[in-house]
Amino acid sequence: MATVGFVGLGIMGRPMLRNLLKAGHTVVAYGRNAEKLDACVKEGAQRGASNSDVGARAPMVVTMLPDGPEVEEVVLGAEGILSGSKPGSLIIDMSSINPLVSQKIAAACAAKGVDFLDAPVSGGEPKAIEGTLAIMVGGDEENFRKAEPILKCMGSSVTLTGPVGAGNTTKLANQIMVACNIAAMGEALTLATRCGLNPEVVVNAVKGGLAGSAVLNAKGPMLLARNFKPGFKINLHQKDLRNALETAEANRVCLPITALVQQMISSLVAHGKGDLDHSAIATFVEAASHVEVKVHGA
Amino acid sequence: MATVGFVGLGIMGRPMLRNLLKAGHTVVAYGRNAEKLDACVKEGAQRGASNSDVGARAPMVVTMLPDGPEVEEVVLGAEGILSGSKPGSLIIDMSSINPLVSQKIAAACAAKGVDFLDAPVSGGEPKAIEGTLAIMVGGDEENFRKAEPILKCMGSSVTLTGPVGAGNTTKLANQIMVACNIAAMGEALTLATRCGLNPEVVVNAVKGGLAGSAVLNAKGPMLLARNFKPGFKINLHQKDLRNALETAEANRVCLPITALVQQMISSLVAHGKGDLDHSAIATFVEAASHVEVKVHGA
């Protein structure tokens, strides 16, 4: 069993840390929220004094934070993990951030002889709790092999997708398809509803064919039931598409649909809907068309 | 067993007609192409002399034609099916057309005491041959019950989706999601490829999650293999999105992504790619980004 550092005790980090403890690993935890850190210690984690302290005590450290700036601060800051890490240790960032930032952090780590993997996840809180996240890893093969037994405590699918940054690039590809598929579902069902059809009948008529998708199966029923309890918040999807568009511009890639969907999200955020589940991306076109997609008679 | 008229002996119509014959129905066939009509007669169909003749001889007539103008001509033209039809007979249009045109034709039929259903299909030539099309029907319940045994010879899923026009509206909803999902897949994989990832690894890493779709499973491999043999041609998808956008405008519905994808299709058609499979919609963003999505080393 290994000693694993863990920084970031939010909605995702807490259950992921718990799964490391369950598997028998020693976990040195740290987070700025004292209450959450206390709770982790009660569950069996060792108390880290600071990011730097976690780096000093654990040869392998997992971070799970909101976005790139937080990861830069926690890893590279004056009192960051890296300031404590011994050469030869490994930092695994499981946050969903801009892959360009992953590469920048990896370079700073390498300069101190510390290895780095980006390993963002998909599946949200339920799969974090179950330990069945999909984990997309970027980095070199040797570090991947070192991290794999740790990652397998938290995820059911752990894939090496390329060098550092590739994990987050894969995650961005995922988030582009999810957001665009939700928005396309919104257009299709808004048209059908305005034309007098029952959108539930439409979903059932098409979901077995080429229009079928995990989005239609999982998010279609939420839209029809007007149930936008998150799940995954629009605010977070806005962050992911921002990272996708920044990465695209830096790499000279043109993403017109992603850019359009990001503008739809901006409108929803302006209307105070940023904390709704991302299935509500489909409501932009509804509102623009002055119609509401719901089951007939509902 | 019934006597069924059949007009439209193209790539889809031929195998559909064959499945009616196989089921033991008497089929009176007609189409402008003498060679194709001869072939149908050889296979057991009775030879119709004209659209009008088919209407006069069959109490139920199926039409399978390219678009609305052709259906209007064949059904409502001076020598059209309706000119021969007896009151109480039923015309089932299985073409994919603008639902507003379906409603116009239904009204003209009703004025002569003839019933009408729109019943477009999804699944393409392979499922037409197998008799496993998905058939989306618009019309009243009584006519639907009358047509159902006939439709079940051609399709494995036959759904009444609402009044006349609802079949085609459902088909448009289907085609909106398919086209937009293909284009979104193109954006995701173009970004990943330009960032140095192997797109096949990306597809495999995400297809089991919320980004998963029938499009990713069926069209992703075609894109990666640069295999754009149709299947379903971009030209036909352009027609479907044109009908969707016309229907949307007439019903005061705003479809920004559909409109954008239709412009991508216009560009592909301008470059002579209208006869490629619609999976090639994904290549618009590739070309715009000066990159080609293909498997590493391929």
Side-chain angles (χ1 to χ4, degrees), chain A residues 179-195 199 202 216 223 257 260-261 264 279 281-289 291 293, chain B residues 169-170 172-177 179-181 241 244-245 248 253-262:
Chain A
C180 295
N181 289 3
I182 291 172
M185 173 181 76
E187 295 203 358
L189 297 181
T190 295
L191 179 64
T193 302
R194 169 58 62 70
C195 291
V202 174
L216 194 60
L223 178 63
I257 303 176
L260 174 54
V261 172
M264 294 180 175
S279 53
I281 293 171
T283 64
F284 171 86
V285 164
E286 287 184 346
S289 304
V291 59
V293 173
Chain B
T169 303
T170 302
L172 293 180
N174 186 82
Q175 294 301 80
I176 287 171
M177 287 189 276
C180 295
N181 289 3
L241 294 194
L245 292 165
V253 171
C254 153
L255 300 181
I257 302 175
T258 305
L260 175 54
V261 172
Q262 182 73 327

Side-chain angles (χ1 to χ4, degrees), chain B residues 168-207:
Chain B
N168 272 304
T169 303
T170 302
K171 177 73 190 281
L172 293 180
N174 186 82
Q175 294 301 80
I176 287 171
M177 287 189 276
V178 170
C180 295
N181 289 3
I182 291 172
M185 172 181 77
E187 296 203 356
L189 297 181
T190 296
L191 179 64
T193 302
R194 169 58 64 69
C195 290
L197 277 71
N198 182 340
E200 193 174 32
V201 172
V202 175
V203 169
N204 289 330
V206 306
K207 70 182 180 188

Side-chain angles (χ1 to χ4, degrees), chain B residues 76-134:
Chain B
L76 307 182
E79 304 289 312
I81 295 167
L82 189 59
S83 71
S85 294
K86 297 177 181 68
S89 52
L90 173 63
I91 297 173
I92 309 165
D93 178 37
M94 301 185 71
S95 323
S96 288
I97 70 171
N98 190 322
L100 303 169
V101 176
S102 303
Q103 288 163 354
K104 179 187 164 189
I105 297 172
C109 289
K112 284 204 57 179
V114 171
D115 292 317
F116 182 86
L117 294 170
D118 64 314
V121 308
S122 161
E125 190 186 7
K127 300 207 168 183
I129 293 170
E130 288 171 21
T132 57
L133 293 164

Side-chain angles (χ1 to χ4, degrees), chain A residues 81-264:
Chain A
I81 295 166
L82 189 59
S83 70
S85 294
K86 296 175 183 68
S89 54
L90 173 63
I91 296 174
I92 308 166
D93 179 37
M94 300 185 72
S95 323
S96 288
I97 70 173
N98 189 322
L100 304 171
V101 177
S102 303
Q103 289 163 353
K104 178 185 164 189
I105 296 172
C109 288
K112 285 203 56 179
V114 172
D115 292 317
F116 182 86
L117 294 170
D118 64 314
V121 308
S122 162
E125 191 186 5
K127 299 208 167 181
I129 293 170
E130 288 171 19
T132 57
L133 292 163
I135 306 179
M136 297 152 266
V137 188
D140 73 24
E141 182 84 26
E142 196 189 326
N143 290 325
F144 177 73
R145 294 291 158 224
K146 218 191 280 184
E148 210 178 4
I150 300 301
L151 296 174
K152 284 201 165 153
C153 303
M154 299 178 276
S156 53
S157 142
V158 181
T159 312
L160 180 62
T161 60
V164 169
N168 273 305
T169 302
T170 302
K171 177 74 189 280
L172 294 180
N174 186 82
Q175 294 302 79
I176 287 171
M177 287 190 275
V178 170
C180 295
N181 289 3
I182 291 172
M185 173 181 76
E187 295 203 358
L189 297 181
T190 295
L191 179 64
T193 302
R194 169 58 62 70
C195 291
L197 277 72
N198 182 341
E200 193 175 33
V201 172
V202 174
V203 170
N204 288 330
V206 306
K207 71 182 179 187
L210 194 53
S213 66
V215 158
L216 194 60
N217 291 337
K219 300 297 173 181
M222 292 181 72
L223 178 63
L224 298 186
R226 315 310 294 173
N227 165 23
F228 300 121
K229 184 171 170 287
F232 186 80
K233 289 181 181 178
I234 284 179
N235 281 331
L236 283 170
H237 221 131
Q238 185 180 40
K239 175 205 70 168
D240 288 336
L241 295 194
R242 184 191 316 125
N243 286 334
L245 292 166
E246 283 178 11
T247 304
E249 182 173 340
N251 286 282
R252 296 159 290 115
V253 172
C254 154
L255 299 181
I257 303 176
T258 305
L260 174 54
V261 172
Q262 181 73 326
Q263 295 305 311
M264 294 180 175

Side-chain angles (χ1 to χ4, degrees), chain B residues 254-293:
Chain B
C254 153
L255 300 181
I257 302 175
T258 305
L260 175 54
V261 172
Q262 182 73 327
Q263 295 304 311
M264 294 180 175
I265 289 175
S266 290
S267 169
L268 294 167
V269 170
H271 284 82
K273 297 183 176 176
D275 285 326
L276 298 186
D277 184 70
H278 60 160
S279 53
I281 293 172
T283 65
F284 172 86
V285 164
E286 287 185 344
S289 304
H290 199 53
V291 59
E292 189 168 278
V293 173

